[in-house]
Amino acid sequence: MNDCIFCKIIAGEIPSKKAYEDDTVLAFYDLSPQAPVHILVIPKAHITSAADITGDNSAVVAHIFEVIASLTKQLGLNDGFRVVTNIGDSAGQSVKHLHYHLLGGRDFTWPPG
Ligand code: AMP
């Protein structure tokens, strides 16, 4: 996707602070952190949002959650953490490339705003 900033981060055209990378998944630190730990975990294949997950592309989602579990152990988020994905404009999705926010290092309220 030519105009997708996360595709540009994957391609190395926009710099990022990487937390993890393999053939199908990239994790990098959010530019505007909302918690002491705020990492975005994304598929390298362009998927617009979680509303576009199908049987053809869902394997990477399972892998993303394996990566998240591994990162949280590495980062010592033993008391808990939050994983959020926003879908569409009314949920506040500003980048239309599937991403999971991994937030940790503080307490979180429920329900979210
Ligand atoms: P969302 O609003 O759920 O679509 O989340 C998009 C996230 O991407 C926001 O938390 C932004 O701070 C973050 N973001 C946007 N551009 C960059 C960038 N170049 N590097 C790191 N994070 C970014």
Side-chain angles (χ1 to χ4, degrees), residues 5-6 9 14-16 28-34 38 40 85-86 91-97 99 101:
I5 58 168
F6 286 179
I9 287 174
I14 295 176
S16 68
F28 56 100
Y29 284 84
D30 198 292
L31 264 189
S32 179
Q34 302 302 310
H38 188 171
L40 301 172
T85 188
N86 296 318
Q93 185 185 7
S94 60
V95 179
K96 302 300 193 286
H97 182 128
H99 52 282
H101 297 259

Side-chain angles (χ1 to χ4, degrees), residues 31-94:
L31 264 189
S32 179
Q34 302 302 310
V37 174
H38 188 171
I39 292 171
L40 301 172
V41 189
I42 69 174
K44 288 192 170 176
H46 184 89
I47 301 171
T48 302
S49 80
D52 298 288
I53 295 168
T54 68
D56 290 335
N57 63 18
S58 60
V60 72
V61 179
H63 185 43
I64 281 171
F65 277 88
E66 292 173 25
V67 169
I68 287 170
S70 173
L71 280 171
T72 58
K73 288 179 182 68
Q74 282 174 40
L75 294 164
L77 300 179
N78 304 315
D79 291 336
F81 56 88
R82 183 165 285 178
V83 178
V84 177
T85 188
N86 296 318
I87 300 148
D89 293 335
S90 68
Q93 185 185 7
S94 60

